Amino acid sequence: MDGLVLPFAENYRYLKPLLQNMPQDAFTSRIQALGEALETHCAGLLYAHAYPAGFDALTEREREICTLVAARLSNREIAARLFLSEGSVKQYCNRIYSKLNIEGDTRSKRRRLAAWMANC
């Protein structure tokens, strides 16, 4: 990757309507091709992963964060990957733990969430 197109491709779902109205050149075509490929890939991952029944109460973003927490990423790494602040990630995590009735200290909550995700 050239480091220039990738940020556009990662945010393709937001840019898609705008790109449709732009003149097609090599740059926009590359963004669209990578964005479509990334959407297809992510959709496959999202739907290939079966969530436990309690996860129905979570939003799509919260499920996405659960997957990253289960992958043992730190709040800083999750924030960087999802273009959020660390504070936002902490708030999402607290909301997730509340919705799933997961209690304890941070480490045990993360461990329990990861175990729960691994068993589904």
Side-chain angles (χ1 to χ4, degrees):
M1 284 290 153
D2 61 8
L4 180 65
V5 174
L6 189 58
F8 291 101
E10 289 175 336
N11 291 291
Y12 182 67
R13 65 179 156 179
Y14 307 112
L15 297 173
K16 189 175 186 175
L18 300 171
L19 290 172
Q20 290 174 347
N21 298 327
M22 291 188 68
Q24 294 298 308
D25 59 9
F27 185 69
T28 56
S29 295
R30 183 80 173 136
I31 292 170
Q32 287 177 317
L34 288 173
E36 292 292 334
L38 185 62
E39 278 189 345
T40 302
H41 175 73
C42 290
L45 290 177
L46 244 169
Y47 297 115
H49 196 281
Y51 292 102
F55 280 67
D56 293 343
L58 302 180
T59 65
E60 180 183 338
R61 179 63 110 184
E62 289 169 342
R63 285 190 208 116
E64 190 175 15
I65 289 173
C66 284
T67 303
L68 297 174
V69 167
R72 308 272 193 236
L73 270 66
S74 69
N75 285 351
R76 178 175 288 169
E77 292 168 325
I78 294 170
R81 188 168 288 189
L82 300 179
F83 303 102
L84 298 169
S85 70
E86 282 185 69
S88 293
V89 173
K90 286 179 186 179
Q91 288 178 350
Y92 272 114
C93 287
N94 287 332
R95 213 172 351 195
I96 291 165
Y97 299 141
S98 176
K99 286 181 178 182
L100 298 177
N101 297 317
I102 297 176
E103 296 178 354
D105 63 11
T106 303
R107 217 180 268 170
S108 64
K109 288 179 189 177
R110 283 180 161 264
R111 205 174 312 123
R112 185 165 169 208
L113 180 60
W116 200 0
M117 295 284 291
N119 291 329
C120 58

